[in-house]
Amino acid sequence: MKARIAVPVFPGTNSEEETLRLLRDCGGTAELVHWSDAAKLAAFDAFVLSGGFAYEDRVRAGAIAAHDRMMDAVIESARAGKLVLGICNGAQILLEAGLLPGTGEIRRPTAAFTRNAPEPHFVCRHVYMKLAVPPERSPITAALSEQALVPAWAAHAEGRLAATGEHLEQIVDGGHLAFVYAHPDGSVDAAAVPNGSALGCAGLVNREGNVLAVMPHPERDGWEFNHLQRRRHEDVLAPSGGSILFESFVKALER
Amino acid sequence: MANLRQDELERIAHRLGRGPSAVELAAFDAAWSEHCSYKSSRHFLRRLPTETLRTVLGPGEDAGILHLGTHDGVRYGVVVAHESHNHPSQVVPFEGAATGIGGIVRDVLCMGAEVIGVADALRFGRCEDLQSHQSHVARGVVDGIGAYGNAIGVPNLAGDVYFDGGFDENVLVNVVALGLVKEEQIVHSYAPKGAGGWAIVLVGKATDPSGFGGASFSSLTLDARDAELDKGAVQVPDPFLKNVLMRASYRAFAALRERGIEAAFKDLGAGGIVGCSGEMTGHGGYGAHIDLDRVNVAVENMPPEVIAVGETQERLMWVVPPPFVDDLLRIYNDEFSLPEIAYNARAVAIGVVTEEQRYVLHSKGRVVMDVESEFLTGSIRDELPYTEVIYHEPPQELPAVDVGGLFTRVLAHRDVCSREPLYRRYDAVVRGRTVLPRGAADAGVLAPIAGSPLGLALAVAGNPRYGRIDPGYAAQRAVLDAVRRVVAVGAQPIGLTDCLNFGSPRKPEQYGQFVAAVDGLALAANELGLPFVSGNVSLYNESAAGEAVPASAIVACVGTIGDVSVTVTPGFKAPGSALLWVGSRELAIGGSVLAELLGLEGTLPVIEYDAERAAIAIVGDAHARDVLRSCRAIGDGGMLTAVAHLAFGALLAGREIGAEIDFGNPLCEAGGFLCEVSGDGGVDVTGALQIGRTIDAPELVVNGTRFGVSHLYDIWSRPLEQLYP
């Protein structure tokens, strides 16, 4: 039987439909699981936490959701080695749950995606994520190429990685820095970073490699028709661009 | 409160045969306000064309519907609504603007639709002083739109922004929203035939005192000294709750379809519970009995008139047959756990539809309102005197212009420079359907139907510089400019919606501007064969001193693309393409950015509809024949702005392509298109003038003067960064 992927839906989640659609278009077997159906989650083989404002982000984004009963199942599954991908708000929730970078205890985060800097407002900007670890560091990125650039949209007010110097060192030394922001030619500098994120961080991976958190949304540049620079008459409905991360995720489940 | 006039009060007392109760007074105050009843505008709005083959549902309900296309044998409609939130945004910018998004999203949702996009037209004061109140308002409005729209997961597709002294004391915040609906699944806003005995169900946030008197407040002239007092009339939005309400309503639509049940659904807008239930039942020829004690409230012991007409946000109303009531309550209260999401939020049956055409409210065991439905909701009409607007042509001055000095000044002009500092605060790509995000091109484009290449384009227009000179002309140009923007991305325009922002109808010269604008809209729409399927009127936009805003008929155009794979993407595509000027080349400079920069007057360009239709057809034809590589509509800043936009599009895509272009006097803003077409020398696009070619270098050579594209981009992209850091 094919692995089943759950896309948990919190009350303020707003990116579940496109996340689900792209998972399916990439060959995955996925379904939405509503917050009132939290009990069903344990039966799933993998999880993708999508973007939104799970519990309104009145305190630090993801902090409340990390304590939601849906996260009990996700945390347990992650510790059992199941694959978990968090995107944007989903990434914030994984950090707040302490699953990432994996140097602390559960629900005692050592790093957070917090208020953008220097300007502390929402930013919607097309970006590229560059792999900062070997692809095989995580099953979720295993099918990417070494030099892979994942096109995506940053769309958040809180995406700046923040941690103490000691914890930032652990992130680097422990190989947790999965993705950094990059220019389209693959070069990396402060201008490529939309939110002031420490280390230019766009994504983190846990020690075991089964939990990945990315701030930008690859699913919003996930089909050919999303690309501003597409050629005319391409098959516009085909997964493309940011979908490579989803394809890699689905492939990892087939092994 | 009671903004009712003496004659209206007498009319009510006479009809009732007694003095009105406090609740009745509040109800009539709201129902007969300008904001609710369109009493001075409705009879003029009938002049607008509304029916074409594309019209699925014209004006009259919460939103209009246009035929989008067919996918897998299913006919899809695009729901279109347009609203203003001017007064609240002036008083409390953040909440006021956010409420505007919230209200219009409900207008679209209640047609049975999925909300798929919003656009906004913003008219701010000059904002030259970053510490000024105007700047505070301009920032608060943008933050409010962003905070709300981003949270509910509806992409911001299009919009425009002007900074103009005419809006120093009255900003305009107009919002357009689009929805997607299968045409056989449209839900209407009024009780259908056979609805006698059906239940009236209120859904959403607990009713509170916020927004009490909102409808009549919006019909008042805003006085800065009273602004503090009026804050209570502005509702408090809750996008988090809205997100859940939207999704729960989608589930309710599905449940209705499964069971084959007809129902009515409507947004609680102006006039609260009375306004909404009165219209839903009154327009179906029914009456209503409502028990105010059943309404879920946030504050105990509110007076019945506040419960009855308060405009608390995030509420909707259903009229459903009795067997469906329990299902409906279960969806909202249990499956989507509204009471856990927000304090005392829920769905609750509060009344019943009656065959007898009386509108009756009960509170604490007493009847607190009992009136004929028709008398409450039947449109009342004010025929007021107005002055005809006559445009006097000033003498035309046409100086020789040095492009060298002018180009950079045009690009740095506040009405021309990059809007990116504002736009980047809005989520343009949530839901993954975005083909052209806002700001990238003249119009935003979506692929709204999963698995279908069918595309939908949206653009807005309404130039206050024209409005100040000639309201009728400005209205025509708003239609033309919105249509051109949709054409420029490769879409076919299918319909229009408008928001009419004017001063007081009680001042004959201001009322005359409104009438002239409606006639202008009607003329342009008829000439182009496009329907207005929805719209909104916002009057009394004047300062304490009685100065009205520049006449502002703001128009949005919706277009379709059969297959988004041929959407015209931004920027020059290849060196050696021919650059064509399609459209009027009349050198009349009235109302242009260039005239303003040079301190000139000048006459308005003449609109010739034959030529306009021809220009639209030429661009469409070039696109259909696959020779159109890039395109921009010519607007503020004329050809200089258009050519810069195409160069910037190439720059942002990493293509080192510029242009050599010569078009004589740059002062023309008559409108039209700048097109990049393929072909080596032999330009096969008839009716167009070749004015240059693209070149293999990131430079623009304009009328012989050379500019670096990245230098121009710097000048264009910076000016609003200080206001929106």
Side-chain angles (χ1 to χ4, degrees), chain B residues 197-461:
Chain B
W198 285 20
I200 296 171
V201 178
L202 179 66
V203 176
K205 195 170 177 177
T207 297
D208 60 40
S210 73
F212 181 56
S216 53
F217 155 64
S218 290
S219 304
L220 290 179
T221 304
L222 202 56
D223 184 327
R225 286 162 303 185
D226 293 339
E228 201 58 34
L229 296 172
D230 285 333
K231 282 186 181 173
V234 179
Q235 311 91 322
V236 183
D238 184 346
F240 180 68
L241 175 59
K242 170 62 62 58
N243 191 48
V244 176
L245 272 177
M246 281 169 58
R247 281 152 176 77
S249 299
Y250 298 154
R251 182 79 61 89
F253 298 151
L256 281 170
R257 288 196 296 272
E258 276 163 29
R259 298 187 50 184
I261 290 174
E262 197 179 358
F265 195 29
K266 189 172 168 61
D267 166 42
L268 263 82
I273 291 173
V274 169
C276 184
S277 58
E279 284 184 35
M280 286 183 95
T281 54
H283 289 182
Y286 292 99
H289 271 256
I290 286 181
D291 183 354
L292 291 177
D293 296 333
R294 305 201 60 175
V295 174
N296 50 317
V297 292
V299 182
E300 290 305 317
N301 298 317
M302 279 193 293
E305 60 269 27
V306 175
I307 302 174
V309 305
E311 294 174 16
T312 305
Q313 284 286 291
E314 325 303 2
R315 296 181 303 165
L316 293 139
M317 188 172 280
W318 283 97
V319 168
V320 294
F324 190 66
V325 174
D326 285 345
D327 282 348
L328 194 63
L329 300 186
R330 187 177 40 73
I331 289 170
Y332 285 102
N333 297 338
D334 301 331
E335 283 184 43
F336 284 82
S337 47
L338 280 190
E340 287 178 36
I341 301 297
Y343 175 72
N344 211 18
R346 61 181 68 246
V348 52
I350 61 166
V352 18
V353 180
T354 59
E355 301 279 358
E356 192 198 7
Q357 291 172 33
R358 295 197 72 80
Y359 188 86
V360 183
L361 288 180
H362 301 262
S363 171
K364 314 261 183 249
R366 289 190 307 121
V367 170
V368 292
M369 175 165 181
D370 184 356
V371 303
E372 291 164 68
S373 296
E374 166 60 25
F375 184 54
L376 176 68
T377 58
S379 51
I380 67 161
R381 179 166 164 165
D382 262 357
E383 299 211 25
L384 302 167
Y386 63 87
T387 315
E388 214 165 307
V389 178
I390 297 162
Y391 165 59
H392 298 284
E393 296 214 349
Q396 178 91 345
E397 315 164 55
L398 288 177
V401 176
D402 164 35
V403 171
L406 195 60
F407 201 176
T408 52
R409 286 173 67 201
V410 168
L411 292 181
H413 189 281
R414 283 212 158 170
D415 293 342
V416 172
C417 67
S418 172
R419 270 74 189 112
E420 182 62 21
L422 294 78
Y423 291 173
R424 68 181 176 217
R425 286 162 155 85
Y426 303 152
D427 196 334
V429 287
V430 59
R431 307 188 72 68
R433 296 161 167 178
T434 305
V435 176
L436 286 178
R438 76 175 282 166
D442 282 322
V445 176
L446 284 183
I449 305 167
S452 164
L454 206 56
L456 179 60
L458 177 66
V460 302

Side-chain angles (χ1 to χ4, degrees), chain A residues 11-14 16 18 34-36 53-54 119 121-124 153 220 226 228-230 232-233 236-237, chain B residues 150 240 243-244 247 335-337 424-427 429 431-432 434-435 565-566 569 623 626 653 655 725:
Chain A
T13 299
N14 68 19
E16 70 275 24
E18 59 270 40
H34 204 260
W35 70 87
S36 48
F53 295 75
E119 294 306 330
H121 58 71
F122 188 93
V123 61
C124 181
W153 281 87
R220 295 184 186 181
N226 292 139
L228 215 44
Q229 300 310 327
R230 71 190 158 275
R232 279 174 66 106
H233 306 303
V236 283
L237 299 176
Chain B
N150 299 348
F240 180 68
N243 191 48
V244 176
R247 281 152 176 77
E335 283 184 43
F336 284 82
S337 47
R424 68 181 176 217
R425 286 162 155 85
Y426 303 152
D427 196 334
V429 287
R431 307 188 72 68
T434 305
V435 176
S565 70
V566 298
T569 53
H623 185 52
D626 215 0
R655 292 189 292 269

Side-chain angles (χ1 to χ4, degrees), chain B residues 358-603:
Chain B
R358 295 197 72 80
Y359 188 86
V360 183
L361 288 180
H362 301 262
S363 171
K364 314 261 183 249
R366 289 190 307 121
V367 170
V368 292
M369 175 165 181
D370 184 356
V371 303
E372 291 164 68
S373 296
E374 166 60 25
F375 184 54
L376 176 68
T377 58
S379 51
I380 67 161
R381 179 166 164 165
D382 262 357
E383 299 211 25
L384 302 167
Y386 63 87
T387 315
E388 214 165 307
V389 178
I390 297 162
Y391 165 59
H392 298 284
E393 296 214 349
Q396 178 91 345
E397 315 164 55
L398 288 177
V401 176
D402 164 35
V403 171
L406 195 60
F407 201 176
T408 52
R409 286 173 67 201
V410 168
L411 292 181
H413 189 281
R414 283 212 158 170
D415 293 342
V416 172
C417 67
S418 172
R419 270 74 189 112
E420 182 62 21
L422 294 78
Y423 291 173
R424 68 181 176 217
R425 286 162 155 85
Y426 303 152
D427 196 334
V429 287
V430 59
R431 307 188 72 68
R433 296 161 167 178
T434 305
V435 176
L436 286 178
R438 76 175 282 166
D442 282 322
V445 176
L446 284 183
I449 305 167
S452 164
L454 206 56
L456 179 60
L458 177 66
V460 302
N463 189 334
R465 241 177 258 106
Y466 294 131
R468 191 177 278 116
I469 299 170
D470 182 351
Y473 179 88
Q476 293 182 65
R477 276 301 291 265
V479 173
L480 276 168
D481 288 335
V483 166
R484 286 189 195 114
R485 287 170 192 174
V486 159
V487 169
V489 297
Q492 181 202 353
I494 59 166
L496 305 165
T497 178
D498 63 323
C499 189
L500 305 175
N501 309 268
F502 290 84
S504 167
R506 308 203 161 274
K507 295 182 178 165
E509 68 287 358
Q510 292 184 16
Y511 198 28
Q513 295 181 359
F514 167 78
V515 176
V518 173
D519 285 338
L521 295 179
L523 173 63
N526 279 318
E527 289 283 353
L528 298 178
L530 294 170
F532 275 98
V533 291
S534 59
N536 172 228
V537 175
S538 172
L539 302 175
Y540 301 95
N541 292 288
E542 33 174 316
S543 68
E547 187 93 18
V549 294
S552 298
I554 293 174
V555 173
C557 180
V558 175
T560 56
I561 304 176
D563 179 345
V564 291
S565 70
V566 298
T567 307
V568 179
T569 53
F572 292 133
K573 297 297 182 304
S577 313
L579 293 172
L580 306 183
W581 186 348
V582 180
S584 171
R585 294 184 278 280
E586 187 198 352
L587 210 46
I589 60 173
S592 65
V593 163
L594 299 141
E596 184 183 301
L597 281 172
L598 298 169
L600 304 172
E601 275 194 64
T603 59

Side-chain angles (χ1 to χ4, degrees), chain B residues 84-258:
Chain B
S84 62
H85 244 248
N86 306 339
H87 294 80
S89 301
Q90 183 69 35
V91 178
V92 274
F94 182 93
E95 287 81 3
T99 307
I101 298 270
I104 198 151
V105 160
R106 285 194 304 278
D107 283 340
V108 167
L109 172 69
C110 71
M111 304 308 294
E114 181 191 358
V115 188
I116 56 171
V118 294
D120 40 65
L122 306 174
R123 304 290 178 266
F124 295 137
R126 278 163 297 186
C127 301
E128 276 149 12
D129 172 4
L130 298 176
Q131 305 307 317
S132 66
H133 184 65
Q134 290 95 359
S135 297
H136 165 73
V137 172
R139 281 189 289 255
V141 164
V142 167
D143 285 344
I145 291 170
Y148 199 100
N150 299 348
I152 57 173
V154 175
N156 197 302
L157 276 185
D160 66 355
V161 189
Y162 284 91
F163 298 92
D164 185 305
F167 304 105
D168 277 353
E169 290 186 58
N170 277 99
V171 293
L172 302 185
V173 176
N174 288 185
V175 191
V176 182
L178 298 184
L180 180 70
V181 66
K182 291 180 182 172
E183 288 176 19
E184 57 178 30
Q185 296 176 352
I186 292 166
V187 176
H188 290 285
S189 315
Y190 50 82
K193 275 197 173 44
W198 285 20
I200 296 171
V201 178
L202 179 66
V203 176
K205 195 170 177 177
T207 297
D208 60 40
S210 73
F212 181 56
S216 53
F217 155 64
S218 290
S219 304
L220 290 179
T221 304
L222 202 56
D223 184 327
R225 286 162 303 185
D226 293 339
E228 201 58 34
L229 296 172
D230 285 333
K231 282 186 181 173
V234 179
Q235 311 91 322
V236 183
D238 184 346
F240 180 68
L241 175 59
K242 170 62 62 58
N243 191 48
V244 176
L245 272 177
M246 281 169 58
R247 281 152 176 77
S249 299
Y250 298 154
R251 182 79 61 89
F253 298 151
L256 281 170
R257 288 196 296 272
E258 276 163 29

